[in-house]
C-alpha cells in the first residue's frame, strides 16, 4: 500500500475560489465555468483534432476534441487548466502550446503528469469523495455523480486511500 496522495493543492484552491465566487452544486465540478468565468479562458470543441486537447496560452484558448466522449473531454479540459495554472500563470515565458494526447498520457513527461494530477484533484475533490465513501457510495455511483470515467475515479479513490489498487488490465 502506498500512502495517500491527496493531489495538487492549487487545484483544491481553484475549486474553493470558484465555489466562493459562484456557489452552485459541488458535483459534478463545473470545470467549464471554472475555465471561462474564473480563469478567463475560452473553450472551443472542434472535430478532427489529432490530440485530445490543446491550450494556446498567448490566446487564452483551449481546444477540445469533439470526437471524444464528454467525460474524457471534461478530464482533458481539467488537464489543460492544470497546464494554465501550474505551467503558465506567473511564467515569464509561458510554453507556446500545451496538448493532451494518448502518447503523453501516463508517460514520463513530468509536466503531463502534473497536469493529470491537477485534473484529478479538481474533478474529484477529496472532501466530497471522503464524505460520500463514508456514506456508502460505490465507485460507480461516484463516477456518475462527478461525471468522470470509472477508471479515473478508481485511480483517484486509490490515491486517496479510499479504494483498492485498480487492475492495470
Ligand atoms: Zn498536457
Amino acid at each position: 500500500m502506498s500512502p495517500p496522495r491527496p493531489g495538487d493543492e492549487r487545484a483544491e484552491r481553484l475549486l474553493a475560489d470558484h465555489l466562493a465566487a459562484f456557489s452552485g452544486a459541488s458535483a459534478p465540478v463545473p470545470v467549464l465555468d471554472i475555465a471561462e468565468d474564473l480563469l478567463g479562458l475560452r473553450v472551443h470543441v472542434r472535430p478532427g483534432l489529432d490530440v485530445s486537447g490543446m491550450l494556446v496560452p498567448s490566446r487564452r484558448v483551449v481546444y477540445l476534441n469533439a470526437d471524444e466522449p464528454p467525460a474524457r473531454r471534461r478530464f482533458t479540459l481539467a488537464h489543460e487548466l492544470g497546464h494554465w495554472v501550474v505551467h503558465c500563470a506567473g511564467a515569464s515565458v509561458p510554453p507556446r502550446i500545451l496538448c493532451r494526447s494518448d502518447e503523453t498520457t501516463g508517460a514520463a513527461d513530468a509536466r503531463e503528469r502534473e497536469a493529470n494530477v491537477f485534473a484529478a484533484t479538481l474533478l474529484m475533490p477529496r472532501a466530497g469523495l471522503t464524505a460520500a465513501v463514508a456514506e456508502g457510495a460505490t465507485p460507480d455511483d461516484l463516477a456518475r455523480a462527478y461525471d468522470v470515467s470509472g477508471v479515473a475515479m478508481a485511480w483517484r479513490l486509490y490515491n486517496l486511500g479510499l479504494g483498492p489498487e485498480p487492475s492495470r488490465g
Side-chain angles (χ1 to χ4, degrees), residues 2-8 117 121 126 155-156 158-161 168:
S2 56
R5 284 175 286 170
D8 190 315
V117 170
T121 309
R126 174 173 45 169
W155 278 104
R156 178 66 172 146
Y158 170 64
N159 284 329
L160 289 172
R168 288 167 191 270

Side-chain angles (χ1 to χ4, degrees), residues 79-80 83 98-101 104 111-112 115:
H79 173 106
E80 299 301 342
H83 282 315
L98 290 150
C99 297
R100 180 186 184 217
S101 68
T104 54
R111 215 158 57 176
E112 292 310 294

